[in-house]
Amino acid sequence: MISPAKRRLLAGLAGGAAMTLVLTGCVQSQREDGGDTGGDTAAPSDVDSTFTFAASSDPSGLDPAFASDGETFRISRNIFEGLIGVEPGTADPAPLLAESWETTEDGTSTTFTLKSDVTFHDGTPFDAEAVCANFDRWYNWEGLTATESLSYYYGNLFGGYAGDENALYESCSADDELTATVNLTRAFSGFIPSLSLPAFAMQSPTALEEYSADEVGGSEEAPEYSEYAEGHPVGTGPFTFDSWAPGESVVLQAYPEYWGEQGQVQEVVFRVIDDPTARRQALEAGDVDGYDLVAPADTAALDEAGFNVMQRDPFTILYLGLNQTVEELQDVRVRQAITHAIDREALVTQVLPEGTEVASQFIPPVVNGYNDAVTDYEYDPDRARELLAEAGYEDGFEIDFNYPVNVSRPYMPNPEQIFSALSGQLEAVGITVNPVADEWTDYLDLMRGSDDHGVHLLGWTGDYNDTDNFVGVFFGSPSNEWGFENDELFTALSDARQLPDPEEAGTAYQEINEQIAQFVPGVPLAHPAPSLAFDSRVTSYPASPVNDEVYNLIELSE
């Protein structure tokens, strides 16, 4: 009989056998109902039940609704659950706290049937009233809580807040204890898959009120989080929050009343180690059980030393952003010149992990709407110099180049090396680079909360398999990161996200990707394939292209 923990991910998937990456031998095997990983997994009482994972940075906070970074979401996925989950090993949506749902033909109303007998960690029942409380919370944000720096995902995907004529959300009703209906002002083809984002996880209405979750301070550039976000997150997931020592670790404990099977891991320690070399050394010393974002130079050596090394399927985009509030970058010829100045093939070959693909557009090839014939700007330094001269910069110009330090991201495993490679290529065509480096959390706040930056390194790990999750998030509305107004592009993206037919939507997004290529808001660089490494005692890890990895599914041998 398949365990409740596995059923949690498989419920409602027609004929879907779970796919999990078994680390012994680094191969992928299929679990049949009642199957195992080959007999190497020990009983829960026979293992060290503490799993220590080396995180590359602190979380930005503990409230996923106010987060957009991977390290916060890594922790959130173990504390919180959403109405919608992700089919194992894919980016496709699957039932989670909602066992099923039905959407009206016009796409504006969805009724969710909820899982029964689920409680939040504080004992609050999970029911339709709790669902509506979460939707209404997001919709009614105002002031600092309704800024790009904090409510990044809600603002981008739901169009606006209470009183905003562009708001997507209209209302939520608790039809009975386990039935909730969410009404939208217009169709949104990505509505269901978007709910798999940790930003839209269900949180205890009791705890949100008790710990003043929406009382944030500071500024958009440097927000100060609420008491809730700093130490009282309450969800329905397999683990509860225990402690957070900033700069050191976050500790979670197994939730004894979890509705599913808890598994072998009873304590999770996210140990903050920002340097990739130090993370490798911690694994080698036995101080951690695993880590993500393995440096490209370390994968072969770790594999040869007997550690379990694996790669996620690439579902990422690394890009060079071009902030058009900078005067020089307002000229499309300058933006084209920068694109021609960059040797993406050399970047992939020399700096990025094995398995990385060169990017020609801002979505991976597996996403609907990928345009095989999109305008591409080949590496051509001479053409770059010609375009700069045409734009009036025959002697070049100076510009800030922002990049993060002491962090690794799935789309950007080694930002300092990437910066070094790209800055040299820009200097070669006459663009003088002024390096501006920041720690990760400050860097992200700067990109989202201010337009005070120049060209910059950033990227994205797709959250679900929908084109809007890439180009819609980037270019669907004005933002501090990109600094441009383009009503034609904004309208095209708004129209495309309302198309329910996948084929029709795919055609629309192909045209949009060409429109983006002509406009050149940035330079798509690569689709990196991030690597993970684990101690040999980790016999199975639920690897996901969208990082939907919940640690009650980890299997250990000792």
Side-chain angles (χ1 to χ4, degrees), residues 391-455:
Y393 300 105
E394 58 273 0
D395 296 325
F397 60 89
E398 183 175 345
I399 193 167
D400 287 349
F401 191 147
N402 299 78
Y403 65 101
V405 293
N406 300 322
V407 71
S408 297
R409 304 302 317 129
Y411 48 79
M412 187 170 50
N414 44 1
E416 291 94 337
Q417 293 180 41
I418 297 168
F419 161 76
S420 179
L422 296 183
S423 61
Q425 293 172 3
L426 294 177
E427 296 269 5
V429 300
I431 299 174
T432 301
V433 167
N434 177 33
V436 182
D438 282 295
E439 296 292 330
W440 176 243
T441 53
D442 295 333
Y443 184 79
L444 204 58
D445 288 340
L446 179 67
M447 292 300 112
R448 303 275 162 77
S450 167
D451 62 8
D452 185 19
H453 51 271
V455 301

Side-chain angles (χ1 to χ4, degrees), residues 283-299:
L283 179 66
E284 293 171 330
D287 296 334
V288 301
D289 291 301
Y291 73 103
D292 201 350
L293 313 174
V294 179
D298 293 338
T299 54

Side-chain angles (χ1 to χ4, degrees), residues 312-324:
R312 289 193 185 91
D313 291 336
F315 200 64
T316 57
I317 177 66
L318 167 67
Y319 59 78
L320 182 69
L322 306 179
N323 176 17
Q324 292 183 42

